[in-house]
DNA sequence: TGTACATCAGTGAACGCGCGTTCACTGATGTAC
DNA sequence: TGTACATCAGTGAACGCGCGTTCACTGATGTAC
């Protein structure tokens, strides 16, 4: 069952990408190693040839997702353009490809140090990128906090109070002018 | 081992209060029925005489915690006074007695309907209380989103980047004037 | 008020299940010649 | 370039553990008389 070096590297990358998506969709404890490797097209036994533990994978998946978020932000003209996409119906519905701070934020405080360090590094990067488009660092921190909180609340009530979810997102979209 | 009706009611109340604290501290999947009942001074077997399932307890614990949060808010002069206490070092360090939106927010979207309904009801109550002290409902939604997001981020990086945690809380404290 | 018995709150062992991790094995890849 | 063999990526069964839930049992409470 040996596989080319190139294929091995692809497998690792696929595990990382699928893990990053599944963790955001289902939460850290909501996905297992077996589900992740299956999504990546292999079986769970091969996992430990790529990552030492689920925890190490989580740390890498967090870094991967946050780097993605920072890149998306860097593409936007400024933080307000980014905010319109962030506080959108589309982002509400697609946590798997969305912001990891909103998808996993309140779980992070209970993770082991290695994971939280990856998260903190990613958030720092993200805030630096946001500051470029927000003027001051303080404004960036405030705006990002608002976006994250709004998405957390909107997702939490989505499906049981869609009006409230939409209202929260709408409010934060226009937040700076309030 | 039978116990007086009064004592039974106390036991139920203690389970609820401890569950509410432990869920906020450790997350839904981070605490078990055994740990909760032990914290309430009994063993796990008696649990199901009080609650049909862990899930039902969670729904009640969420309602309990959010009602508490809304009451705290109602006591404050306005939402800005509340915000100063919310975005504080003390609140950062005590999730067990703090805001359930920040402690459990991103886990809520993955909970069964019954739990999410309890959460949505509680958030609605909370927003109504916040609107009274914020002027408009939109302002209340914006301010609450900012507070929740800031606490989520601050807790996530607490212990690995305390400066960033403090910075996020500081920024959101002065948010409306930014 | 006192007594006898039925009720039932809480106990702790046990069950079933899922999950992270390990490991012997397979067979294709990579390499030494 | 071709061949023989060592390497090792991935497979799938198995292990150990924790957790939600069930259940027979205990003994104190509540109640009928």
């Amino acid at each position: 069952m040996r596989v080319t070096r190139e294929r091995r590297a692809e497998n690792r990358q696929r595990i990382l990408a699928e893990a990053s998506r599944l963790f955001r969709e289902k939460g850290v404890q909501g996905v297992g190693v077996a589900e992740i490797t299956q999504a990546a097209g292999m079986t769970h036994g091969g996992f430990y040839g790529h990552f030492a533990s689920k925890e190490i994978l989580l740390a890498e998946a967090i870094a991967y997702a946050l780097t993605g978020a920072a890149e998306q932000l860097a593409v936007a003209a400024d933080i307000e353009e980014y905010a319109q996409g962030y506080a959108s119906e589309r982002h509400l519905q697609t946590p798997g490809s969305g912001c990891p701070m909103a998808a996993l934020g309140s779980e992070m405080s209970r993770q082991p140090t290695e994971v939280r360090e990856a998260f903190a590094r990613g958030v720092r990067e993200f805030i630096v990128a946001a500051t470029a488009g927000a003027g001051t660092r303080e404004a960036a921190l405030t705006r990002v906090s608002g976006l994250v909180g709004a998405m957390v609340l909107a997702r939490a009530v989505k499906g049981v109070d869609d009006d409230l979810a939409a209202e929260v997102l709408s409010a934060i979209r226009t937040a700076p002018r309030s």
Side-chain angles (χ1 to χ4, degrees), chain A:
Chain A
M1 287 295 183
R2 199 183 186 182
V3 123
T4 62
R5 276 193 290 264
E6 186 186 18
R7 183 66 191 270
R8 174 177 151 81
E10 285 169 18
N11 283 345
R12 195 194 133 95
Q13 191 55 31
R14 213 169 321 110
I15 291 171
L16 192 58
E18 291 299 319
S20 166
R21 177 179 66 83
L22 287 167
F23 282 139
R24 279 178 278 182
E25 283 177 1
K26 304 189 165 192
V28 174
Q29 294 170 95
V31 225
V33 167
E35 188 180 356
I36 293 167
T37 48
Q38 199 173 352
M42 29 188 301
T43 58
H44 64 277
F47 175 79
Y48 294 90
H50 291 289
F51 299 93
S53 64
K54 185 189 179 186
E55 174 190 321
I56 297 290
L57 170 64
L58 175 59
E60 288 207 37
I62 293 275
Y64 177 90
L66 275 166
T67 299
E71 281 167 5
Q72 264 186 282
L73 172 54
V75 166
D78 60 17
I79 202 175
E80 285 317 314
E81 180 184 308
Y82 180 79
Q84 301 309 306
Y86 191 106
S88 69
E89 172 76 13
R90 181 176 166 75
H91 187 198
L92 176 73
Q93 302 290 355
T94 55
S97 57
C99 174
M101 296 180 283
L104 298 169
S106 53
E107 283 174 76
M108 279 303 113
S109 62
R110 295 148 201 151
Q111 297 303 320
T113 304
E114 193 134 14
V115 174
R116 309 180 62 209
E117 276 171 353
F119 189 85
R121 256 192 302 277
V123 171
R124 263 183 256 123
E125 269 180 44
F126 188 84
I127 295 297
V128 168
T131 302
T136 69
R137 183 171 166 90
E138 194 186 14
L141 288 165
T142 301
R143 195 70 175 113
V144 170
S145 293
L147 291 170
V148 170
M151 187 52 69
V152 164
L153 292 177
R155 291 228 183 99
V157 305
K158 184 189 92 181
V160 298
D161 192 340
D162 287 323
D163 289 349
L164 180 55
E167 210 184 358
V168 173
L169 294 183
S170 166
I172 208 67
R173 259 184 260 124
T174 59
R177 279 145 258 160
S178 76

